[in-house]
Amino acid sequence: MNRVDEFFGANVFGDAVMRERLPENAYNELKTAISLGKSIDRKIADIVANAMKEWAIEKGATHYTHWFQPMTGITAEKHDSFISPDGEGNIIMEFSGKELIKGESDASSFPSGGLRATFEARGYTAWDPSSYAFVKDNTLCIPTAYCSYNGEALDQKTPLLRSMEAISKQALRIAKLFGLENVKSINTTVGPEQEYFLIDSEMAKRRPDLMFCGRTLLGATPPKGQEMYDHYFGVIKPRVKAFMRELDDELWKLGVLAKTEHNEAAPAQHELAPIFTTTNIAADHNQLTMEMMKKIAEKHGLICLLHEKPFKDVSGSGKHNNWSLSTDTGINFLKAGKNPSDNLLFLLTLAAVIRAVDEHQDLMRISVATAGNDHRLGGAEAPPAIISMYLGDDLNEILESIERGEHHIDSDKIKMTVGTDVIPYIRKDNTDRNRTSPFAFTGNKFEFRMLGSASSISETNVVLNTIVADVFSDFADKLEGSSNFENDVLELIRATIKDHKRIIFNGDGYSKAWEEEAAKRGLLNLRSTVDALPYWRTKENIELFERHGVYNCAEINCRADISLENYSKTIHIEALTLLEMVKRDVIPAISAYEGELCNTVVKKHSVSDKINCDAEIEVIEKLATFNEHLNRLVKELESAVDKSQATTDLLACAQLYCNKVLFIMDNIRHITDEAETVVSREYWPYPTYGDILFKI
Ligand code: ADP
Ligand code: MG
């Protein structure tokens, strides 16, 4: 196998395989179920299950698993083998429709925020037929939603599918208004660009912080950082190249459309961008991509760090969520016609997104809020924690002229331009694209750049889908039955821009001036996860999600609780790791070096009193001060951790971790990082930033 087109999707039970292996009626029913998001009946499920099993066994599979995404953010698998006894002492390989559609998962230790009482001990899993099954590690993996017995979502996929249904429903109403009669469904599409670091695994294994937390908790800035930008799009090193090659191959076999791989801004940082696809598949594929990155890195003696901020003073990693929506007939709502000012559907969609983002800044922020991402947002390389939108000069001009009422429409032209696939008028010029905007219009899609590299993209897309669905619903209410449609649409666009233009910002999003300006505009600036998460439970947000059947109140509470818990747990682990490192490695190293210097002084003096020992004594004094401070701070950190842990209120607990524990950890780091520059290399217990970042 060497031609990509020959092995692409080889491990996927995709459309071509289904068509080939399923009886026509089963295939057709399944296709309809997939495109309309309906469930399939047991008889068809049995047929599909059997074909799937036969295919998987030919691919070497012995087991199957319902592959799902619990709220921990990673994927989970529970493997069952296909074998069953045949009653005569032999085995047969079996897999029924019942097992395909509904599996019970004895997954009582996944976080469920109290939704699923532990005595029930099980949630159930249901196949998502719109995401193809695949074979990985001799296991047939079935993309699956994971719910409680009452049907409450315990995973990331269920709400995502619900939100896709919600936006499809509302966008269909809009499509109808524009005369797009034969559209049956409307899907959002996503292309997530994934950033990551690759470092040598021997180095990484010598650092407990990287092993336990995925980020360095200490480490002095090396003499050379990323100031030269010589890594960005630079030549890829052979070892990294080999990794990327294998990663591409493995992803292609799994049907993941991995497209571009390049170096990123920071040394040892890279990016992979896939070609966009339907949102739930993009989310599954992104999970697979992250999993494969970690696995394949190990085979190459590397470790893949997906943490948002593995190294201080070095760019962190994010994920750019390119989002759009298209009809099943191929019309992209965010693709402008030849002359966008005449393209009403495009402009109305744009207005809907502007209003949605402005009204729901809190949810957008929440959807990217994790302990890891807090280190990144607001840093010099990532957008600030303020949500704003960038549209570019061309669009801005058009919107401004509409707002001023300087616009009229030629209704013939509308009919001509709406939905036709013509060359976009908007100049897609890379150079003047604003890289500092958290949410930028980039030609035919919006690019949300605040996502953390380690998280699932599901939550963000649940939010995007739902908030835009909500505005579409209101727009449709207003426009259905309109007798002067074009003018009413234009009027609606104008009113929307007027009310929500504060969210549009075209300047430098990283500047201090913007923070002040944003405050004047009344935009939210939720600096930390702990500031953002309480907004989950506002009355407006609960009503919004309930209105569209995406989350009920219990599910929201459960998600908010789990996010708070995850936040506290993450920092708890980091604090314990730092304590261990400082107590068992750093303080002893400082002491030992201090001891050696003292010995040197004694020895020198034993030769002659006149030999100058100022250099040694100066260092000894410094080292003594470091250890004195560290000793005190260790005690402070221990007591702050105890206090946080003893706090039962989830928010209060997370606040302690945020305001106290992290603060002391930072203070410790100031000292250890300075100590690292003083203590002899021989005595320092860990590989330095220089070792890790520049020695692949
Ligand atoms: P860049 O932003 O780096 O210039 P591209 O414009 O080529 O790169 O696209 C970035 C990502 O956006 C890719 O993953 C691409 O597949 C995705 N993308 C392109 N069109 C759409 C769309 N209509 N919906 C969602 N994602 C899209
Ligand atoms: Mg990008």
Side-chain angles (χ1 to χ4, degrees):
M1 287 207 296
N2 30 30
R3 278 185 56 134
V4 179
D5 55 354
E6 280 165 17
F7 68 85
F8 184 82
N11 293 345
V12 182
F13 192 70
D15 192 59
V17 191
M18 289 195 213
R19 192 193 295 268
E20 182 195 313
R21 292 181 173 245
L22 292 174
E24 201 178 321
N25 70 323
Y27 172 78
N28 288 337
E29 273 208 39
L30 184 58
K31 281 299 274 186
T32 318
I34 291 171
S35 65
L36 301 179
K38 298 239 161 65
S39 51
I40 52 171
D41 73 37
R42 264 298 293 283
K43 273 219 300 284
I44 302 291
D46 277 333
I47 298 170
V48 177
N50 194 52
M52 216 183 241
K53 177 201 74 184
E54 288 301 321
W55 168 84
I57 289 171
E58 283 167 33
K59 296 267 162 209
T62 49
H63 288 66
Y64 67 91
T65 179
H66 287 269
W67 184 80
F68 62 102
Q69 293 156 33
M71 288 182 268
T72 48
I74 47 161
T75 47
E77 308 174 353
K78 177 188 171 235
H79 295 204
D80 282 304
S81 76
F82 287 123
I83 60 168
S84 347
D86 68 352
E88 291 165 21
N90 299 315
I91 55 134
I92 46 171
M93 304 282 261
E94 253 193 352
F95 182 54
S96 69
K98 182 166 166 256
E99 286 160 317
L100 170 64
I101 300 182
K102 196 182 263 193
E104 286 200 353
S105 166
D106 182 20
S108 49
S109 50
F110 289 118
S112 63
L115 267 185
R116 183 175 40 114
T118 14
F119 61 83
E120 277 182 52
R122 273 151 200 263
Y124 74 81
T125 53
W127 179 36
D128 163 21
S130 61
S131 182
Y132 299 132
F134 53 91
V135 168
K136 174 172 70 74
D137 300 332
N138 300 326
T139 302
L140 169 66
C141 299
I142 302 156
T144 289
Y146 177 45
C147 297
S148 76
Y149 268 110
N150 301 327
E152 275 138 347
L154 296 172
D155 68 347
Q156 318 255 29
K157 187 189 266 288
T158 307
L160 184 60
L161 291 173
R162 291 176 186 160
S163 73
M164 288 169 69
E165 213 174 301
I167 192 167
S168 182
K169 188 169 152 199
Q170 302 305 333
L172 273 172
R173 293 173 65 194
I174 301 287
K176 251 207 190 85
L177 288 168
F178 282 86
L180 304 172
E181 289 296 345
N182 48 5
V183 172
K184 286 201 201 63
S185 66
I186 292 169
N187 268 324
T188 52
T189 49
V190 167
E193 302 164 61
Q194 174 77 45
E195 291 179 336
Y196 60 97
F197 279 85
L198 280 182
I199 58 171
D200 185 85
S201 63
E202 288 312 309
M203 296 285 185
K205 280 179 191 150
R206 286 162 54 201
R207 299 207 43 141
D209 46 3
L210 284 174
M211 297 320 291
F212 294 134
C213 315
R215 76 170 177 110
T216 56
L217 301 171
L218 25 108
T221 312
K224 178 179 170 182
Q226 63 191 72
E227 49 284 284
M228 313 285 284
Y229 281 95
D230 47 357
H231 183 72
Y232 197 38
F233 286 103
V235 179
I236 300 175
K237 293 185 178 144
R239 210 166 149 201
V240 173
K241 189 99 207 159
F243 159 86
M244 287 180 173
R245 176 84 224 232
E246 188 174 344
L247 177 62
D248 279 342
D249 281 357
E250 289 308 312
L251 290 175
W252 287 334
K253 283 187 215 161
L254 290 168
V256 177
L257 295 154
K259 174 84 174 161
T260 43
E261 305 246 18
H262 64 78
N263 287 352
E264 261 299 326
Q269 193 185 32
H270 312 280
E271 181 188 291
L272 181 145
I275 297 172
F276 72 97
T277 178
T278 314
T279 305
N280 67 319
I281 296 173
D284 284 356
H285 282 181
N286 183 249
Q287 293 298 128
L288 270 178
T289 301
M290 292 194 286
E291 187 185 324
M292 285 297 161
M293 280 176 168
K294 296 204 144 175
K295 209 149 93 191
I296 291 165
E298 273 178 38
K299 285 172 71 178
H300 292 258
L302 299 165
I303 281 193
C304 170
L305 299 176
L306 291 172
H307 194 283
E308 285 78 9
K309 194 75 184 172
F311 305 99
K312 197 179 163 202
D313 294 333
V314 172
S315 284
S317 300
K319 197 137 43 188
H320 291 177
N321 190 84
N322 294 276
W323 179 95
S324 187
L325 74 166
S326 296
T327 66
D328 57 344
T329 54
I331 298 163
N332 179 351
F333 274 38
L334 283 172
K335 185 162 177 173
K338 203 168 213 154
N339 186 349
S341 62
D342 291 335
N343 192 330
L344 273 190
L345 174 60
F346 164 72
L347 287 173
L348 187 69
T349 307
L350 202 64
V353 178
I354 292 170
R355 175 173 145 193
V357 173
D358 183 37
E359 281 180 344
H360 303 287
Q361 299 161 43
D362 55 347
L363 288 175
M364 300 274 287
R365 174 67 183 92
I366 286 169
S367 83
V368 299
T370 61
N373 214 15
D374 279 1
H375 297 287
R376 182 176 155 263
L377 297 177
E381 87 279 1
I386 306 163
I387 307 279
S388 69
M389 293 172 84
Y390 169 79
L391 300 175
D393 295 341
D394 293 337
L395 269 182
N396 257 354
E397 250 166 58
I398 292 164
L399 295 185
E400 275 165 19
S401 77
I402 294 178
E403 195 198 341
R404 288 193 300 266
E406 293 166 2
H407 236 78
H408 40 251
I409 324 183
D410 174 346
S411 27
D412 285 345
K413 258 199 205 145
I414 296 160
K415 298 255 156 48
M416 261 175 51
T417 49
V418 167
T420 51
D421 198 24
V422 285
I423 306 151
Y425 159 80
I426 295 163
R427 283 168 288 165
K428 202 185 161 201
D429 186 350
N430 267 311
T431 50
D432 68 8
R433 255 198 234 166
N434 188 335
R435 306 304 300 179
T436 65
S437 173
F439 196 76
F441 182 72
T442 51
N444 59 352
K445 60 190 190 294
F446 274 101
E447 181 170 344
F448 187 32
R449 303 184 175 127
M450 274 168 84
L451 288 80
S453 48
S455 304
S456 157
I457 61 167
S458 296
E459 207 160 291
T460 284
N461 288 294
V462 168
V463 166
L464 275 173
N465 292 345
T466 309
I467 64 179
V468 176
D470 195 54
V471 179
F472 273 161
S473 152
D474 183 56
F475 280 5
D477 287 347
K478 291 193 166 105
L479 293 170
E480 280 162 358
S482 145
S483 53
N484 192 354
F485 183 67
E486 277 84 25
N487 276 309
D488 289 349
V489 171
L490 204 57
E491 201 37 59
L492 186 55
I493 295 171
R494 176 162 46 187
T496 306
I497 293 163
K498 205 158 160 261
D499 291 346
H500 299 284
K501 65 178 174 194
R502 64 169 184 171
I503 198 74
I504 298 168
F505 177 65
N506 293 305
D508 179 2
Y510 295 177
S511 68
K512 190 79 201 141
W514 167 230
E515 262 198 82
E516 288 156 18
E517 164 72 18
K520 273 193 219 133
R521 294 189 190 186
L523 300 179
L524 280 177
N525 186 0
L526 303 171
R527 285 190 177 78
S528 75
T529 296
V530 175
D531 295 333
L533 287 175
Y535 284 81
W536 247 125
R537 306 182 217 248
T538 62
K539 189 165 156 282
E540 291 77 19
N541 286 337
I542 293 171
E543 282 171 5
L544 167 79
F545 285 115
E546 290 199 325
R547 194 155 59 235
H548 296 283
V550 174
Y551 293 123
N552 63 27
C553 183
E555 287 171 328
I556 289 178
N557 279 321
C558 130
R559 262 153 229 265
D561 284 353
I562 288 174
S563 302
L564 283 170
E565 254 171 31
N566 281 346
Y567 178 86
S568 297
K569 272 187 199 159
T570 304
I571 296 173
H572 185 73
I573 292 168
E574 289 181 351
L576 295 190
T577 305
L578 183 63
L579 281 169
E580 186 184 288
M581 290 172 80
V582 171
K583 287 196 320 199
R584 299 184 59 188
D585 298 332
V586 176
I587 293 179
I590 294 174
S591 256
Y593 183 48
E594 205 179 352
E596 169 164 343
L597 290 176
C598 290
N599 283 339
T600 308
V601 172
V602 172
K603 275 190 205 146
K604 278 167 126 182
H605 281 167
S606 74
V607 175
S608 151
D609 269 356
K610 298 203 178 70
I611 300 181
N612 186 302
C613 293
D614 289 358
E616 285 85 1
I617 289 168
E618 203 175 293
V619 177
I620 290 168
E621 278 167 357
K622 265 193 195 163
L623 294 173
T625 319
F626 291 148
N627 266 355
E628 183 195 328
H629 287 313
L630 285 177
N631 191 39
R632 172 178 50 81
L633 287 167
V634 157
K635 286 188 196 123
E636 267 180 42
L637 183 56
E638 280 171 338
S639 99
V641 168
D642 286 346
K643 199 167 156 216
S644 312
Q645 224 192 356
T647 307
T648 45
D649 179 76
L650 291 178
L651 180 60
C653 170
Q655 279 164 340
L656 281 175
Y657 276 109
C658 177
N659 301 324
K660 285 270 172 336
V661 173
L662 278 181
F663 180 76
I664 304 169
M665 285 172 68
D666 246 9
N667 287 341
I668 290 182
R669 182 172 189 151
H670 278 304
I671 296 174
T672 57
D673 288 1
E674 208 193 322
E676 187 184 318
T677 66
V678 176
V679 172
S680 143
R681 200 181 288 277
E682 216 185 310
Y683 279 80
W684 195 252
Y686 307 121
T688 63
Y689 272 25
D691 297 331
I692 300 170
L693 289 169
F694 293 97
K695 289 192 184 161
I696 283 233

